[in-house]
Amino acid sequence: MADNKVIDINMHFLPTDLFTNEEVLNGFLYSAPITMGLKAYRGKTPDGAKDQIVLATEDGKDILNYVEGDYTLETKLRAMDEVGVDIALLRMPVWQEWLPLDMCKIVNDQAAEMCRQSEGRLYANAVLPPWGRKEDIYELERCLGELGMVGVQFACCYGDKFLDDELFKPYLKVLNEKKVPCAIHHTPGQNAFGNFADYTPLRRELGRIHVQATAVGREVYSGMFDEFPDLKFIHTMFGGNWFALKDILAPHVSKQKKEAMNRLATNVDREAYDRYLANNIYFDMTHPMSWSKDQLELAVKTCGADHLLLGSSFPVFYEWMARSVGSVKALDVSQEEKDLMLGGNAAKLFNL
């Protein structure tokens, strides 16, 4: 790849026939966890002009909306050209945490075909159940080999199970051995829980941020990267504002006073904590224009420009894509740091 390509690592993909193929539509709707207080249905946008798929709480509060027509190749390329994004990496927005293997294969096939039609503008992350079964690994190998995918994607948690859980070790072992980068997307399921439910910004933003921050913290404090040192996890939304949490959540050691007890004792010391963050955890800047310039510059200072990757979450808001590149270019940081965030890190991690 030529130097200084602008790479958006978080562009959403849905099957191209999601709204027209009953098998695919039902595969999505009926894989959602309706027994856990969520409901999925096909409806109309508020103006009645377009179809949409909605994930909502039982009492009707929207959590997720997929609008027909927003996910076409033409729409993606037009948005990329308008803002100066050279390459985008496709991923499923959220639903990957529920899809069975047969539906994952359909998603992967269609994503690969869109990438082929894009003539080098698009690459994709494989969508897979995270269990590491023989049939799952066969699909992983097909995606990486035959379909030319450059990474895989996870939800940051599956129900109440985070990626530090023993449940995911068989799959993580394979990814570690193959050195496959992992895009860790947020989940809306947590947003349905009590404290976030009543107010839309809390339900649709703070819930996602909260669960991402929890995911990063659990991964770091579990020590899982000692067992899987070659895993590269790229978390959305700055890992849930991890630039503001890195020091407050670090292991605490008293340097000036003797304490009666260490109320924050942990088996992970500061050296290991910093090593995991340096070697294994990266942050998808989805969606940078939503943070202030000061906060973005703090993220560079705290996390390092070499750990931040541009992500737009397109097409959730077209505005996010339109202002994403400019938000990074406007930062008072070096051009080298801007180049890393805008594409250099992505090119290296995903071997583009």
Side-chain angles (χ1 to χ4, degrees):
M1 173 186 292
D3 292 338
N4 299 328
K5 292 283 189 181
V6 175
I7 303 172
D8 178 356
I9 73 157
N10 185 3
M11 178 168 279
H12 292 178
F13 172 83
L14 291 176
T16 55
D17 59 355
L18 177 59
F19 288 89
T20 58
N21 185 322
E22 186 175 0
E23 177 187 2
V24 176
L25 177 63
N26 286 338
F28 271 65
L29 294 180
Y30 292 100
S31 62
I34 56 178
T35 59
M36 296 175 62
L38 299 177
K39 62 180 181 179
Y41 62 92
R42 178 177 182 169
K44 290 288 187 181
T45 53
D47 62 5
K50 295 182 178 181
D51 282 353
Q52 65 169 337
I53 291 176
V54 181
L55 185 72
T57 61
E58 283 185 309
D59 59 356
K61 297 185 179 73
D62 288 4
I63 296 173
L64 184 70
N65 310 76
Y66 296 155
V67 178
E68 187 175 19
D70 279 352
Y71 298 87
T72 66
L73 174 60
E74 294 74 20
T75 300
K76 288 175 168 58
L77 295 180
R78 184 166 54 250
M80 292 165 65
D81 289 342
E82 286 176 355
V83 73
V85 169
D86 299 297
I87 292 171
L89 272 59
L90 303 180
R91 72 173 72 163
M92 272 284 305
V94 175
W95 224 280
Q96 81 281 350
E97 65 184 283
W98 306 310
L99 291 181
L101 181 59
D102 61 338
M103 290 303 304
C104 289
K105 290 179 179 179
I106 292 173
V107 171
N108 291 331
D109 283 339
Q110 294 197 24
E113 176 59 20
M114 181 174 286
C115 291
R116 187 192 66 79
Q117 293 179 13
S118 78
E119 300 181 342
R121 301 290 303 279
L122 301 177
Y123 293 84
N125 291 295
V127 179
L128 289 164
W131 319 126
R133 303 167 298 185
K134 180 174 62 176
E135 57 268 36
D136 299 329
I137 302 308
Y138 286 161
E139 176 63 7
L140 171 67
E141 292 172 344
R142 185 179 79 94
C143 288
L144 297 177
E146 179 182 334
L147 301 185
M149 295 188 170
V150 296
V152 300
Q153 65 177 87
F154 281 95
C156 63
C157 65
Y158 293 76
D160 61 356
K161 302 292 186 183
F162 286 79
L163 297 179
D164 61 306
D165 195 277
E166 293 282 332
L167 187 64
F168 306 107
K169 279 192 173 183
Y171 188 30
L172 294 177
K173 181 176 185 294
V174 174
L175 297 175
N176 181 71
E177 291 170 352
K178 293 181 178 293
K179 298 184 179 180
V180 181
C182 307
I184 314 297
H185 205 74
H186 48 262
T187 172
Q190 297 282 340
N191 300 354
F193 299 166
N195 292 339
F196 301 126
D198 292 334
Y199 303 103
T200 299
L202 304 187
R203 187 172 68 252
R204 301 197 68 146
E205 294 281 27
L206 183 58
R208 288 164 164 81
I209 290 170
H210 175 273
V211 72
Q212 274 286 26
T214 301
V216 174
R218 290 185 65 95
E219 291 157 13
V220 169
Y221 274 109
S222 70
M224 62 184 285
F225 298 118
D226 287 335
E227 183 174 359
F228 305 123
D230 290 320
L231 285 179
K232 304 295 185 186
F233 279 5
I234 304 108
H235 281 267
T236 53
M237 303 182 82
F238 292 90
N241 290 351
W242 199 259
F243 58 84
L245 299 173
K246 178 182 177 182
D247 289 328
I248 189 65
L249 292 184
H252 290 268
V253 177
S254 293
K255 297 180 179 180
Q256 297 184 15
K257 296 292 183 178
K258 181 176 177 57
E259 307 290 349
M261 63 177 294
N262 183 355
R263 291 173 172 84
L264 296 173
T266 172
N267 291 329
V268 172
D269 62 20
R270 184 62 192 251
E271 183 278 329
Y273 180 90
D274 289 338
R275 174 163 43 88
Y276 301 149
L277 290 173
N279 295 340
N280 306 105
I281 300 289
Y282 296 80
F283 303 107
D284 169 352
M285 301 170 71
T286 300
H287 21 82
M289 53 78 60
S290 297
W291 277 262
S292 72
K293 181 173 179 288
D294 287 344
Q295 290 168 335
L296 295 178
E297 290 171 355
L298 176 60
V300 175
K301 181 178 180 179
T302 305
C303 300
D306 59 345
H307 279 63
L308 303 175
L309 292 82
L310 180 72
S312 69
S313 204
F314 183 84
V316 176
F317 280 104
Y318 282 52
E319 179 86 355
W320 289 352
M321 167 66 92
R323 294 175 56 194
S324 60
V325 175
S327 295
V328 176
K329 288 185 174 181
L331 299 179
D332 290 324
V333 301
S334 71
Q335 187 59 49
E336 179 182 2
E337 290 171 316
K338 294 176 186 178
D339 290 343
L340 288 173
M341 292 184 282
L342 288 172
N345 295 328
K348 181 179 179 179
L349 282 171
F350 290 94
N351 195 28
L352 297 175

